[in-house]
Amino acid sequence: MSWLRFCVFLLLLSFTPLSLSADIPDVMQAKVLHGHVDVTEFWVSEKLDGVRARWNGKQLLSKTGLRFAAPDWFVQGFPDTPLDGELWMTRGHYEDVVSIVRKQTPHEGWKLLKLMVFDLPGHKGPFTERVEAMRQLVLVKNAPYLGVIEQFRLESEAALMQKRDDITRQGGEGLMLQRQSAIYQSGRSDDLLKVKPFEDAEAVVIGYKPGKGKNTGLMGSVHVRADNGKEFYIGSGFTQAQRNEPPPVGSVINYRYQGFTDAGIPRFAVFVRMRNEELKQ
């Protein structure tokens, strides 16, 4: 397939309906930890490398409001109260999770997953109360595909950094901090923080720049738009196979970077992977 024909194909794909629509959940989103923090004010948990999901009491939804085709047996025993969590397999298997959840019909692959709960959106109390409520919920429910992410406390920032390094050496992504007094709220919050060994972010693919030299006839870089509206190109981190079949227009990618330029553009941005778990196969 020629590069031009492939670009047209991707543009058409980006407008293909993905699944049945539903109400978009009001999800709480994390900020990245910068500088120092009083760790004793927070609960700590591992940042799981999975797919964000919201159980609304009846259906399993993505954070953008699309319905996952989870089998009935997978959600059997789930409560009628909202759950915020991560569809997860084990460390280092993000792509496998995506392959399972993006299919538009129920299938046996869901037996490899669990919904790991990290919050209760409908609970009106502070996070410390929600931690105990999550623990009790999983204990009393006969739901084999429902779990709860372990929440623990640390006594110092040094202990936090040591724990982060231990987790990443074992193949984990990093840690999450949730302020003990925080009430659940939608949008990005200073009460929920990511602690990772590098800075990363997400951006939407809006176009391409053709490759040169050894990449002639392939994608050279992707044109992306960040959450703050800044547009820039990412040309590093792609395999030759990914340059031949680059992320589609409209998909969300994850990238790493090292600070910002004076214009607010991420420095040394490197592609990590696609984050649009909802694209059809």
Side-chain angles (χ1 to χ4, degrees):
M1 182 183 295
S2 70
W3 172 251
L4 178 60
R5 290 179 62 193
F6 183 66
C7 288
V8 172
F9 167 76
L10 292 178
L11 286 170
L12 291 173
L13 179 63
S14 68
F15 292 100
T16 302
L18 301 180
S19 69
L20 297 176
S21 61
D23 292 334
I24 298 177
D26 292 325
V27 297
M28 191 171 184
Q29 299 183 66
K31 293 184 178 181
V32 178
L33 174 63
H34 292 292
H36 301 284
V37 66
D38 184 355
V39 177
T40 61
E41 295 182 359
F42 293 82
W43 285 90
V44 186
S45 62
E46 180 176 348
K47 185 181 187 303
L48 298 188
D49 189 14
V51 174
R52 182 81 176 264
R54 167 71 65 85
W55 172 252
N56 67 0
K58 297 180 181 179
Q59 295 179 326
L60 197 59
L61 307 176
S62 75
K63 64 182 179 181
T64 57
L66 301 179
R67 181 171 60 84
F68 290 115
D72 291 340
W73 48 259
F74 183 85
V75 299
Q76 185 175 358
F78 281 24
D80 57 5
T81 55
L83 307 173
D84 206 352
E86 198 93 351
L87 290 166
W88 191 65
M89 184 181 298
T90 188
R91 291 172 182 160
H93 286 270
Y94 169 78
E95 298 295 343
D96 296 322
V97 177
V98 171
S99 178
I100 291 169
V101 304
R102 73 194 308 188
K103 289 182 170 64
Q104 299 300 301
T105 55
H107 60 98
E108 293 296 296
W110 282 81
K111 289 182 177 179
L112 300 174
L113 306 182
K114 273 191 173 184
L115 177 64
M116 300 297 294
V117 179
F118 54 71
D119 214 333
L120 301 175
H123 195 293
K124 303 303 182 183
F127 188 64
T128 293
E129 292 183 10
R130 303 203 301 275
V131 169
E132 183 58 29
M134 284 186 283
R135 291 171 176 168
Q136 294 300 318
L137 179 69
V138 174
L139 284 176
V140 302
K141 288 294 180 180
N142 182 24
Y145 298 102
L146 188 64
V148 62
I149 294 176
E150 179 188 4
Q151 301 284 344
F152 53 92
R153 308 300 288 265
L154 293 172
E155 70 280 4
S156 67
E157 190 171 345
L160 177 70
M161 295 301 115
Q162 182 62 56
K163 186 66 173 178
R164 180 203 65 185
D165 293 343
D166 291 343
I167 290 292
T168 53
R169 275 196 297 268
Q170 297 168 30
E173 278 209 334
L175 298 173
M176 300 295 296
L177 298 181
Q178 180 93 330
R179 195 179 303 275
Q180 59 186 6
S181 60
I183 304 301
Y184 193 97
Q185 56 184 311
S186 62
R188 298 206 178 272
S189 172
D190 292 320
D191 294 327
L192 183 62
L193 302 171
K194 293 186 289 187
V195 186
K196 303 178 71 172
F198 51 81
E199 293 189 272
D200 71 335
E202 296 178 353
V204 179
V205 176
I206 59 175
Y208 310 97
K209 183 182 290 184
K212 299 178 180 179
K214 68 176 182 179
N215 294 325
T216 299
L218 304 175
M219 180 272 293
S221 59
V222 290
H223 189 191
V224 300
R225 180 183 295 117
D227 288 345
N228 61 3
K230 296 287 185 179
E231 296 183 11
F232 54 97
Y233 287 89
I234 300 176
S236 300
F238 296 98
T239 65
Q240 290 302 104
Q242 288 168 335
R243 292 185 186 280
N244 188 50
E245 295 188 23
V249 169
S251 65
V252 178
I253 65 168
N254 178 262
Y255 65 95
R256 297 178 183 177
Y257 64 99
Q258 300 177 31
F260 296 91
T261 68
D262 292 340
I265 303 299
R267 290 182 182 273
F268 312 116
V270 177
F271 171 80
V272 177
R273 64 190 174 203
M274 285 183 59
R275 288 296 308 194
N276 195 333
E277 297 96 2
E278 297 144 4
L279 289 177
K280 291 176 68 176
Q281 287 188 329

